[in-house]
């Protein structure tokens, strides 16, 4: 069985829009002013975990517990995040073609799994490895290895990684022995080797896997 690993945020799901909506909802629900909302938008723009809300409480002397604020944020993100129907349909086709599908993602375990459940991806993927599971982040090969293990297999020649981040997804996939497809968006660093394939959308990456699965 061939293995296809995917990044989550910016590849399978749209974190950017969900993040802005989640922060707006959290700020509104707790009557936070623009200063706190701006802090959240700035400090959590790349990623968020439970410890960020300890910093939030200390910075603004808030009464709510960090655990409560974190849970609210996770719930708001899960409610706002989306995976386009075209992506879900493409993954269904990949699965029907006999591929094992995994997710290798940087991020806190609970929030990444909440996104997977909320978007319907949970029904299509065989395993997920989040950096919060083992405190190891992409591009460390161990996260890709864990994703494969969660899918009930191990990394082998001919397996693929698809993602939007050149350093963590593509270079990380190379270091783990994977072929890699880059979903164009971020600037490509001149220092990195070119990906095996470059696409504009993850659905194109899946189409490529389906049509070149014997290569």
């Amino acid at each position: 069985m061939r293995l296809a690993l995917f990044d989550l945020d910016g590849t399978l799901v749209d974190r950017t829009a969900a993040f802005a909506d989640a922060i707006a909802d959290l700020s509104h629900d707790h009557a936070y002013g623009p200063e706190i909302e701006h802090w959240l938008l700035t400090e959590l723009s790349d990623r968020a975990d439970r410890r960020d809300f300890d910093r939030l409480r200390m910075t603004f002397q808030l009464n709510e517990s960090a655990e409560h604020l974190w849970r609210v944020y996770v719930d708001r993100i899960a409610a706002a995040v989306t995976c386009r129907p075209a992506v879900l349909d493409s993954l269904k086709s990949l699965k029907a073609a006999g591929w094992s599908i995994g997710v290798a993602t940087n991020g806190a375990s609970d929030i990444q799994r909440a996104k997977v459940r909320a978007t319907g991806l949970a029904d299509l993927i065989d395993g997920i490895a989040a950096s919060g599971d083992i405190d190891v982040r992409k591009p460390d090969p161990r996260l890709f290895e864990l994703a494969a293990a969660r899918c009930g297999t191990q990394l082998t020649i001919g397996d693929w990684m698809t993602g939007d981040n050149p350093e963590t997804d593509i270079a990380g996939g190379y270091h783990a022995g994977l072929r890699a497809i880059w979903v164009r968006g971020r600037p490509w660093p001149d220092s990195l080797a070119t990906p095996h394939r470059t696409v504009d959308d993850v659905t194109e990456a899946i189409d490529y896997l389906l049509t070149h699965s014997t290569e």
Side-chain angles (χ1 to χ4, degrees):
M1 180 175 288
R2 305 290 295 277
L3 174 65
L5 298 180
F6 294 88
D7 171 52
L8 185 62
D9 296 319
T11 300
L12 292 179
V13 306
D14 181 4
R15 179 188 185 266
T16 301
F19 170 68
D21 290 343
I23 295 302
D25 289 344
L26 187 152
S27 299
H28 176 269
D29 292 347
H30 292 81
Y32 292 156
E35 185 179 8
I36 294 180
E37 185 169 359
H38 177 74
W39 188 97
L40 290 165
L41 288 169
T42 302
E43 296 295 319
L44 310 186
S45 60
D46 290 331
R47 61 179 182 269
D49 64 31
R50 164 66 173 70
R51 293 167 293 185
D52 292 315
F53 290 89
D54 287 316
R55 295 193 298 116
L56 175 67
R57 289 189 73 244
M58 292 178 63
T59 301
F60 295 100
Q61 300 298 302
L62 301 179
N63 292 324
E64 297 93 346
S65 71
E67 181 63 28
H68 164 75
L69 292 171
W70 170 243
R71 295 316 315 170
V72 170
Y73 175 73
V74 170
D75 291 344
R76 295 294 183 271
I77 281 282
V81 73
T82 59
C83 179
R84 291 179 290 121
V87 176
L88 295 173
D89 288 342
S90 292
L91 290 173
K92 289 176 185 176
S93 297
L94 192 63
K95 197 170 186 66
W99 284 73
S100 183
I101 301 172
V103 169
T105 175
N106 286 341
S109 301
D110 45 1
I111 196 166
Q112 299 304 78
R113 284 177 168 77
K115 293 172 189 173
V116 166
R117 291 191 298 270
T119 55
L121 287 168
D123 296 329
L124 298 172
I125 66 172
D126 299 293
I128 175 174
S131 61
D133 294 341
I134 54 174
D135 200 25
V136 165
R137 297 179 58 81
K138 294 179 296 185
D140 192 311
R142 288 176 291 177
L143 194 65
F144 301 95
E145 292 166 359
L146 178 61
R150 293 275 170 83
C151 293
T153 185
Q154 58 185 2
L155 300 181
T156 59
I157 296 174
D159 292 339
W160 289 83
M161 173 65 195
T162 299
D164 69 311
N165 190 304
E167 289 91 351
T168 61
D169 297 325
I170 307 307
Y174 280 160
H175 293 154
L178 299 167
R179 298 183 183 186
I181 302 177
W182 178 45
V183 180
R184 187 185 285 111
R186 301 170 186 249
W188 185 268
D190 293 336
S191 59
L192 294 185
T194 57
H196 288 94
R197 185 76 174 177
T198 298
V199 297
D200 292 314
D201 189 89
V202 67
T203 56
E204 296 176 40
I206 296 171
D207 287 344
Y208 181 83
L209 295 178
L210 287 168
T211 56
H212 296 80
S213 59
T214 59
E215 293 185 1

